[in-house]
Amino acid sequence: MALTKIADGGMPAGSVLQVLQAVKTDAFSTTSGTFAQVSDLTVTITPSSTSNKILITASIALAGNYFSWHCGLFKDGTEIGKADAASNRPLSLFNGMDNQTDQTSHGKATYVTRELLVSPNTTSAVTFDIRAARRFDNEGSPVTYINRTHPDRDTNTYDQRYISTLTVREIAG
């Protein structure tokens, strides 16, 4: 029996229509107080219908040298997935913090994984990317790292290297 292709419009709601992934395997660091684009963590997807949704999953290996780091998800240059404003608190999707000694002396990094479902309402190309920034108050000469630890010692026991991924799926609406 011959197989025939089902048109995208014929797929039931919730079906995955396309999957794209960016994988970052090298290390990144920033001392910028504003979000800097992280190379290799950008995906452009073109939805086949305005009623379809995009499911974004990202797993980012993060570390800092002074407690906290900032990392956000951007859609066509605008940050998305932010928490509600609360005075001066950071709002980004991948923000985090850890004990300074664990990060600077023991070489701890943290995988931060998040999912977000968005409705782009377009059939034009949409670009998603990951951007990172140092601690916003600039206290402690802060650095944010992706895919590496702060001490970055060249040993076969400590300070492993990591990969980070950004995956987008078009979901039939």
Side-chain angles (χ1 to χ4, degrees):
M1 179 166 112
L3 296 175
T4 58
K5 181 180 186 277
I6 298 173
D8 291 344
M11 298 294 289
S15 297
V16 176
L17 303 177
Q18 60 176 315
V19 179
L20 300 170
Q21 184 177 64
V23 179
K24 181 167 186 60
T25 58
D26 62 341
F28 171 89
S29 65
T30 184
T31 57
S32 175
T34 58
F35 283 107
Q37 192 168 21
V38 179
S39 61
D40 302 324
L41 285 178
T42 300
V43 175
T44 299
I45 189 167
T46 304
S48 58
S49 170
T50 58
S51 64
N52 293 346
K53 299 184 182 316
I54 305 296
L55 177 62
I56 306 140
T57 306
S59 188
I60 313 296
L62 286 153
N65 70 325
Y66 197 69
F67 295 105
S68 62
W69 57 78
H70 301 292
C71 189
L73 173 65
F74 288 74
K75 174 183 165 266
D76 292 332
T78 300
E79 189 176 9
I80 61 173
K82 293 170 50 173
D84 290 343
S87 187
N88 291 319
R89 293 173 181 88
L91 311 172
S92 297
L93 190 61
F94 297 95
N95 283 343
M97 65 179 302
D98 209 331
N99 181 286
Q100 180 185 4
T101 301
D102 286 348
Q103 292 186 91
T104 59
S105 297
H106 303 309
K108 182 179 180 183
T110 302
Y111 263 109
V112 181
T113 301
R114 302 284 188 265
E115 281 192 333
L116 188 66
L117 185 67
V118 298
S119 301
N121 299 314
T122 186
T123 55
S124 298
V126 181
T127 299
F128 298 96
D129 66 274
I130 300 295
R131 300 182 191 191
R134 62 147 164 82
R135 182 181 165 130
F136 292 138
D137 65 6
N138 203 26
E139 187 174 330
S141 301
V143 182
T144 293
Y145 302 101
I146 292 178
N147 292 350
R148 61 159 279 194
T149 63
H150 170 70
D152 202 31
R153 297 165 287 205
D154 189 12
T155 73
N156 64 1
T157 305
Y158 300 104
D159 302 313
Q160 300 87 349
R161 290 296 173 99
Y162 307 87
I163 69 166
S164 294
T165 59
L166 173 61
T167 306
V168 297
R169 297 168 186 87
E170 180 182 7
I171 309 296

